[in-house]
Amino acid sequence: MMWIIASLGIWIAAIALNLFLVRQRAPGSAFLVPIIFGVAVLILWEGMVRGFNISPVLLPPPSSIGLALASETDILWQDLVQTFFKGALTGYVMGCGAAVLIAIAIDRSPFLQRGLLPVGNFIAALPIVGLAPIMVMWFGFDWHSKAAVVVAMVFFPMLVNTVQGLQATDHMQRDLMRTYAAGYVPTLLKLRLPAAMPFIFNGLKISTTLALIGAIVAEFFGSPIKGMGFRISTEVGRLSLDMVWAEITVAAILGSGFYGLVALMEKRMTFWHPSQRKSR
């Protein structure tokens, strides 16, 4: 009972402190408020699990998850390298890069626009649970099949956003480039691609989460003895839920950091865009 009362008291105190910081507009409140809220959630989680004697098989306390994070660093690092750097990141770069190049070709050719966009839409509609086993059959059990799944997942969102971005310039801007006798390549590099940058970064941000999810889920259908998806499926079978939650925590932190890095690059490269000026 003491665990429940103490955790509820800390939760109420944290909410009151956050409300005070927001109302007073205290310096650094933009960073303190989410940190305080997150710590309060962990304390409430710990207190409720221990107070109600919830089985760790159903929901382990944060302390057990933290212990797994600290004691299984080597395994978590191997899984991270296998899933993120080899599978997700490789597929992300290949899929997004191919989508940008094909979007430029589609923008140049109306025939490709009518022919390739429906194909891309078809690929995007394929369920990952059906696509992953096929990729494993084609490319083997290692990271290559996971990268292929990621390519299929990120390709269409990136393609659609880039095509829309390349069409974002108006007639007056394009007429101005023609008055300077600029051909297609100078117009593309100096006008259309810069104007498309907000759309491109929107596709890149969407693809960050899709890439990590695709790589993890693809490992459920065949993987060597390492990887986040492999570890999650294996530890669930062994009822080692603290390790499962440790993998989920690493994936969540990694996905948030990946998204934040792309968002930071967007702010640096599209500082001139009205959306970025309004956010400052």
Side-chain angles (χ1 to χ4, degrees), residues 61-134:
S63 57
S64 297
I65 300 171
L67 182 61
L69 285 168
S71 61
E72 303 292 347
T73 306
D74 293 340
I75 293 177
L76 293 171
W77 173 252
Q78 291 177 4
D79 294 342
L80 185 149
V81 171
Q82 177 72 17
T83 302
F84 179 72
F85 290 104
K86 292 184 178 180
L89 191 59
T90 302
Y92 178 84
V93 173
M94 293 173 60
C96 293
V100 171
L101 294 177
I102 293 177
I104 294 173
I106 288 175
D107 178 73
R108 184 68 170 165
S109 171
F111 171 76
L112 293 178
Q113 186 171 3
R114 290 191 296 268
L116 286 181
L117 283 180
V119 174
N121 191 17
F122 173 77
I123 295 174
L126 293 175
I128 185 175
V129 293
L131 186 64
I134 296 174

Side-chain angles (χ1 to χ4, degrees), residues 1-11 43:
M1 193 65 181
M2 292 300 298
W3 278 100
I4 298 175
I5 295 174
S7 60
L8 285 174
I10 294 174
W11 170 262
I43 294 174

Side-chain angles (χ1 to χ4, degrees), residues 185-210:
V185 174
T187 302
L188 177 68
L189 296 178
K190 296 182 179 180
L191 173 64
R192 306 191 70 187
L193 275 179
M197 279 298 166
F199 295 86
I200 293 175
F201 274 105
N202 186 47
L204 290 173
K205 289 188 292 186
I206 294 173
S207 299
T208 55
T209 55
L210 291 176

